[in-house]
Amino acid sequence: MPDIAANLQAVRDRIARACDRAGRPATDVTLVAVTKTVTPVEVAELYRLGVRDFGENRVADGLARKDALNAPDARWHMIGHLQRNKAAAALAGGFTRIHSVESDKLVEVLEREAAKQDITVDILLEVNVSGEESKYGTDADRVRDLAAVAARQPHLRLNGLMTMAPFTDDPETARPYFRQLAALRDDLADRLGRPLPVLSMGMTGDFEVAVEEGATHVRVGTALFR
């Protein structure tokens, strides 16, 4: 098993230094540990070390790890593409935040399922700020309309935005995309007349730049388990 304790401390230190450069307290940033390829033992070790937020790309895999951990205070985030036919299972299984809402149709399904289950669900709108065809997410020029629809749903709580920057060896190339997402979030908050406090952006290769540009949640896997 990798030295998860040392890796976690290194990631936390990097977050803290990035926050310091940006003039932010480190407590502003939530580390979402991406556990999609790891064992229940490794997830349990992260939990023992104080991690409470876990991110999964697939509903069934995430629910299996959630059940294995069996920790009521752990928060499970759906960070991957969510198929509409998996929405009911994701909500019933206890995913606390859906980061990847990208369409009116998914909003409608989540609202319907949340109403059936008599729950309120935290959601983020996924924006494809890079315009890459290989990435999911709504276009930047369509997010205003999607936000207006999402904000009207009584069982959905729109928290903010999520994006993935292009994969690159140079994290600085991700900066413009993170900056664009932050600007979109500010514009939407003004238009809706309500705060949108969450910016989910940054992964192992670029999370420090994301923090400098305002990320509140970073999704890190490889740096924790390599």
Side-chain angles (χ1 to χ4, degrees):
M1 190 168 72
D3 189 344
I4 293 176
N7 290 346
L8 175 60
Q9 188 58 55
V11 168
R12 285 173 167 165
D13 289 345
R14 290 167 64 187
I15 290 172
R17 289 194 295 269
C19 283
D20 188 60
R21 290 192 295 272
R24 306 171 60 193
T27 52
D28 277 359
V29 179
T30 297
L31 171 62
V32 179
V34 180
T35 52
K36 63 180 181 178
T37 62
V38 304
T39 66
V41 172
E42 291 169 308
V43 175
E45 176 66 2
L46 272 180
Y47 180 85
R48 185 187 70 80
L49 293 166
V51 173
R52 292 295 180 268
D53 291 88
F54 300 91
E56 281 286 340
N57 285 59
R58 296 182 178 180
V59 173
D61 292 346
L63 295 182
R65 291 189 181 90
K66 176 178 178 291
D67 290 346
L69 183 62
N70 191 28
D73 61 336
R75 295 174 290 271
W76 291 83
H77 302 245
M78 171 51 57
I79 61 174
H81 176 65
L82 179 61
Q83 296 174 307
R84 295 195 295 275
N85 64 356
K86 303 290 186 182
L91 301 190
F95 279 97
T96 57
R97 177 173 281 140
I98 310 298
H99 289 229
S100 48
V101 178
E102 61 172 0
S103 69
D104 293 357
K105 289 182 179 179
L106 182 55
V107 167
E108 292 170 4
V109 170
L110 288 170
E111 169 60 28
R112 182 170 66 248
E113 295 299 336
K116 286 180 182 177
Q117 297 178 31
D118 194 25
I119 59 175
T120 300
V121 181
D122 289 331
I123 66 168
L124 306 177
L125 304 184
E126 182 176 6
V127 186
N128 184 357
V129 291
S130 68
E132 293 178 284
E133 292 184 3
S134 61
K135 284 189 168 58
Y136 291 107
T138 189
D139 296 336
D141 59 0
R142 294 186 60 248
V143 71
R144 294 186 183 92
D145 292 338
L146 181 58
V149 172
R152 291 196 297 267
Q153 307 307 314
H155 295 88
L156 303 182
R157 191 161 40 228
L158 177 58
N159 300 153
L161 304 179
M162 184 269 259
T163 199
M164 291 178 60
F167 293 110
T168 176
D169 292 332
D170 180 6
E172 278 299 322
T173 63
R175 191 179 297 276
Y177 302 105
F178 297 147
R179 191 168 291 171
Q180 181 182 355
L181 192 76
L184 280 172
R185 186 276 307 273
D186 293 345
D187 176 69
L188 287 176
D190 287 343
R191 288 172 179 268
L192 295 173
R194 53 181 284 188
L196 297 173
V198 178
L199 283 176
S200 173
M201 56 190 193
M203 299 187 296
T204 287
D206 53 24
F207 70 83
E208 289 157 294
V209 171
V211 169
E212 291 170 3
E213 294 299 329
T216 64
H217 291 63
V218 294
R219 309 179 305 273
V220 179
T222 302
L224 294 171
F225 301 109
R226 60 188 174 195

